[in-house]
Amino acid sequence: MVTMSNVPERMEPHETPTPHRFGRADLQVHTSSGDGMEDARSLFERIELRGELDVVAITDHDDVRGALEAREVHARSPYHFDLVTGVEVTTLSGHLLALWVDVPIASFRSLEATVAAVHRAGGLAVVPHPFSALTRSVGRRALERALAVADTTTHPDGIELANPTSMGWDTDDRARQLNATRYHLAETGGSDAHFVEAVGDAYTLFPGRDAEALRRAILDRQTRGVLERGTPLRAIGARR
C-alpha cells in the first residue's frame, strides 16, 4: 500500500520508481472537439492499447464540452485508466490548465481571477508551458504577481515542467530552477498532444494509480514532471 510516509519528500531525477508505487498521468490532451485531430474514442483506444498511462486529462482550449463528451465515452467502456475533465483557459497572461472542472471557466480574465474561478469550481489550476515563446504562456512576472497576492485562492496549484513543445528551449530549465527555489508548486507534465501519437510523450509521476491519488499528490506537492520523448512530425505524417 502506498502511503505518503513512504514516498520521498522530493523524487530525484535519477530515481526509477517501481510501477506498483507510482502512476503516470498525462495532464494535457486535446481532442477534435477543440483543435485536436482525434476524437475521444480514438484517443482512449490507443491509450488503452499502449497501457502506459493511469490517468488522462482532456483539456481543450476555452471549452469544457470536449471533456464532458470524453467523460461520456469513458463511462461506456471498461478502460483501465482514469479520466480527469478539464479545460485550457486563455487568461490575459497566457494559458492555464483547469483540472477537475466540469463547468465553463471564463476566458480573457486576469490570471488571479481565473485561478480563483477554477478553485471555486472545485478544480486545480496548473500553469502549462511556462515562460514559453512558442505559444501563449504565463510569464515569470505574471506568475510571481499572482503568487504574491495574500489570498491563496489566487495561487496556482502546479506548474508544468515537462512539455515536448518546449524541447530544445531553455524555458523548462528556467522554470524548474525557479520552482525549486521560489515557487514551490507541484510539478506536472503533459504531452500537449493534438495527435494521438504524441499522447504520453510527457507525463506527471505521482504516488498512487488513480485520479483521486493524483489530486492528493498535486495538493501535497508529491509529483514530478517527466519528459519521456518527442514525436517527430514524420511519425504523424504531412497529410495530417
Side-chain angles (χ1 to χ4, degrees), residues 18-113:
T18 63
H20 299 293
R21 292 181 59 203
F22 292 90
R24 297 182 178 190
D26 189 338
L27 293 185
Q28 191 180 173
V29 177
H30 300 272
T31 75
S32 56
S33 293
D35 63 347
M37 295 297 107
E38 274 82 28
D39 60 23
R41 183 173 299 282
S42 298
L43 287 166
F44 292 167
E45 292 299 325
R46 177 68 173 265
I47 293 167
E48 182 76 4
L49 181 64
R50 290 174 64 173
E52 297 174 346
L53 295 172
D54 300 286
V55 183
V56 174
I58 298 299
T59 56
D60 289 331
H61 290 278
D62 296 305
D63 194 340
V64 75
R65 287 177 294 182
L68 300 184
E69 293 170 5
R71 184 169 65 183
E72 294 180 6
V73 173
H74 188 270
R76 292 196 294 265
S77 298
Y79 295 117
H80 291 86
F81 59 89
D82 280 1
L83 175 69
V84 171
T85 55
V87 58
E88 186 171 9
V89 186
T90 303
T91 78
L92 293 175
S93 299
H95 291 164
L96 181 75
L97 296 179
L99 303 173
W100 284 280
V101 300
D102 55 10
V103 296
I105 304 295
S107 304
F108 300 108
R109 295 192 294 176
S110 70
L111 178 61
E112 296 91 334

Side-chain angles (χ1 to χ4, degrees), residues 4 34 47 60 64 67 80 96 129 154 156 167 171 173 192 199 203 207-208 211 215 220 223:
M4 297 311 297
I47 293 167
D60 289 331
V64 75
H80 291 86
L96 181 75
H129 42 74
T154 70
M167 288 177 64
T171 54
D173 291 339
D192 206 351
V199 176
Y203 56 84
R215 183 183 176 109
D220 290 339
T223 55

Side-chain angles (χ1 to χ4, degrees), residues 118-136:
V118 173
H119 289 152
R120 286 196 300 272
L124 300 185
V126 172
V127 176
H129 42 74
F131 317 152
S132 175
L134 295 175
T135 188
R136 194 164 189 161

Side-chain angles (χ1 to χ4, degrees), residues 3 15 24 39 41 59 135 142 148 163 173 182 202 206 208 211 217 221 239:
T3 64
E15 274 193 77
R24 297 182 178 190
D39 60 23
R41 183 173 299 282
T59 56
T135 188
N163 182 316
D173 291 339
R182 299 186 62 174
F206 67 99
R221 309 296 192 258
R239 292 179 63 86

